[in-house]
Amino acid sequence: DIANLYVLANEPHGALAYINKALEILQNIYKGVDTLEVALCYHIIAYAHSLLGDHTQSEQYNKKALEIRSKILGPDSSACATSHTNLGSNYYALKRYDEAMMHTQKAIDILAQIYGPVHPDLASAYSFVAGINCDLQNFDEALKYNKKAMEVTEKVHGKNSQNYFALACNLGAILQTQGKIEEATKQFQEVIETIKTYNPNDPLIGQLTLLIS
């Protein structure tokens, strides 16, 4: 619990100090047998290392967490989906895009199986895949997954949510990168008009207006 507080405070060194103590105690109690509590420790250690920018170390601990969760809960559990998502983030940071895509797609498959086609974690995963494709300059694929993320986000949070606005702006940016200026402009204008209906003083309106100019 103390380690989690350090994570929330964005203090990874403090988190690592306490979570390693917790892991040592658990390993003594369970005589080295892997449990979900041990997997959670590995998960927190991995996250702390990612905060430190050490994604190679983070990857190793996320793999350990995934291995235990798969063995105890089965490979298609929500906890395994979380581990796959985290590994996707590790590999993205390491520019190992194929592996990032593979793990994120596995997370998508698990989440869709558990929750159906509408869930906020699915929207995040679709958005992440869109980002990977942007880095690879696969802009058609990026558009496809960004639109999927928008569809899910609209159903979960509505069109007046910050999550939806961010994805709508991403869509405009992808179109702009493709040289589809008219479509990009139309997309940004739609976002502006939507924002005006609930907060005409939102600073994003000015930013998008400047971008259109």
Side-chain angles (χ1 to χ4, degrees):
D1 288 343
I2 295 173
N4 271 324
L5 290 175
Y6 275 104
V7 166
L8 292 172
N10 199 30
E11 295 183 20
H13 291 293
L16 284 171
Y18 279 96
I19 200 62
N20 280 315
K21 287 180 183 179
L23 180 60
E24 183 181 352
I25 293 169
L26 289 170
Q27 288 174 329
N28 286 334
I29 292 172
Y30 295 117
K31 310 301 181 186
V33 175
D34 290 331
T35 67
L36 291 177
E37 290 168 295
V38 171
L40 179 60
C41 286
Y42 288 146
H43 169 88
I44 296 172
I45 291 171
Y47 187 69
H49 279 294
S50 71
L51 289 177
L52 291 169
D54 189 350
H55 296 284
T56 300
Q57 275 288 91
S58 181
E59 172 206 356
Q60 297 306 313
Y61 282 102
N62 276 320
K63 280 184 173 179
K64 289 182 178 183
L66 176 59
E67 182 180 355
I68 295 170
R69 287 165 168 175
S70 295
K71 184 166 60 178
I72 296 175
L73 300 172
D76 296 328
S77 64
S78 60
C80 286
T82 299
S83 290
H84 282 296
T85 298
N86 294 341
L87 281 166
S89 296
N90 290 148
Y91 290 126
Y92 178 77
L94 294 167
K95 300 188 184 303
R96 292 158 62 178
Y97 296 121
D98 287 345
E99 291 164 282
M101 195 81 77
M102 179 188 73
H103 281 282
T104 307
Q105 186 59 56
K106 182 61 179 175
I108 288 171
D109 293 342
I110 294 170
L111 291 168
Q113 180 181 329
I114 295 173
Y115 300 115
V118 179
H119 191 273
D121 289 348
L122 269 174
S124 296
Y126 288 143
S127 178
F128 188 71
V129 173
I132 295 173
N133 278 294
C134 277
D135 279 10
L136 294 172
Q137 297 189 339
N138 297 330
F139 297 116
D140 288 339
E141 281 294 293
L143 279 174
K144 182 177 78 173
Y145 278 96
N146 198 85
K147 286 177 179 178
K148 283 186 175 184
M150 289 175 68
E151 289 171 6
V152 176
T153 300
E154 181 180 355
K155 291 175 181 175
V156 174
H157 299 294
K159 275 192 170 184
N160 288 345
S161 65
Q162 291 297 323
N163 288 347
Y164 186 85
F165 294 148
L167 290 167
C169 289
N170 288 347
L171 180 60
I174 296 169
L175 291 167
Q176 181 183 10
T177 303
Q178 287 183 299
K180 299 177 180 178
I181 304 304
E182 289 185 8
E183 292 180 58
T185 299
K186 181 181 177 182
Q187 179 62 34
F188 290 136
Q189 286 173 335
E190 287 179 0
V191 175
I192 289 172
E193 292 307 313
T194 303
I195 295 174
K196 282 180 178 178
T197 62
Y198 87 100
N199 184 5
N201 297 317
D202 193 310
L204 184 58
I205 294 172
Q207 294 167 16
L208 290 176
T209 303
L210 180 61
L211 182 58
I212 291 171
S213 299

